[in-house]
Amino acid sequence: MIEVCRSEALANGGRGVRFEVSVGGRRVPAFAVRFGGVARAYLNRCAHVAMELDWQPGEFFDFDAEHLVCATHGALYDPATGACAGGACAGRGGLRPLDVTEHDGRVWWRPDGYAEPLGMDER
């Protein structure tokens, strides 16, 4: 497992933490947020157009902290599942979840064969 951040860095419905993973040998942005008291993580790619979601670095939630929102086209995603909840992502799936767990005061990411740790040449 790979440490993403300290647990206290993720406030419920608040600012997220950006990190990077390797997908098919390419460096890809990802992020972790807390929703419903649970740490969750996704690739930082809108299902509508492969653009990063955050409207400011680490800002992924809409103003009501009910959805993750793509700043470019307004696609809305369920923060608990990554599923499209409306807008430009309709019919295009959702966000690609990453497996995270929380213990010892830290959020940990478990690579899954699709998203892997950055290789030494990618860091």
Side-chain angles (χ1 to χ4, degrees), residues 85-123:
C89 60
R92 293 184 170 87
L95 300 177
R96 172 64 164 78
L98 299 175
D99 186 14
V100 291
T101 187
E102 194 167 7
H103 58 85
D104 299 329
R106 290 175 166 59
V107 176
W108 303 88
W109 164 55
R110 184 178 299 121
D112 61 9
Y114 178 79
E116 291 296 322
L118 294 177
M120 293 305 286
D121 57 334
E122 295 172 297
R123 292 183 191 182

Side-chain angles (χ1 to χ4, degrees), residues 25 41 49 55 65 76 79 119:
V49 175
W55 46 276
L76 298 173

Side-chain angles (χ1 to χ4, degrees), residues 34-92:
R34 185 176 305 284
F35 182 74
V38 178
R40 308 182 190 265
Y42 301 96
L43 292 183
N44 192 358
R45 277 198 294 217
C46 181
H48 169 233
V49 175
M51 309 254 330
E52 294 182 24
L53 271 67
D54 37 347
W55 46 276
Q56 291 288 324
E59 300 292 345
F60 297 96
F61 282 99
D62 62 5
F63 293 111
D64 297 326
E66 293 180 8
H67 294 99
L68 300 171
V69 62
C70 174
T72 304
H73 298 108
L76 298 173
Y77 298 95
D78 179 343
T81 65
C84 177
C89 60
R92 293 184 170 87

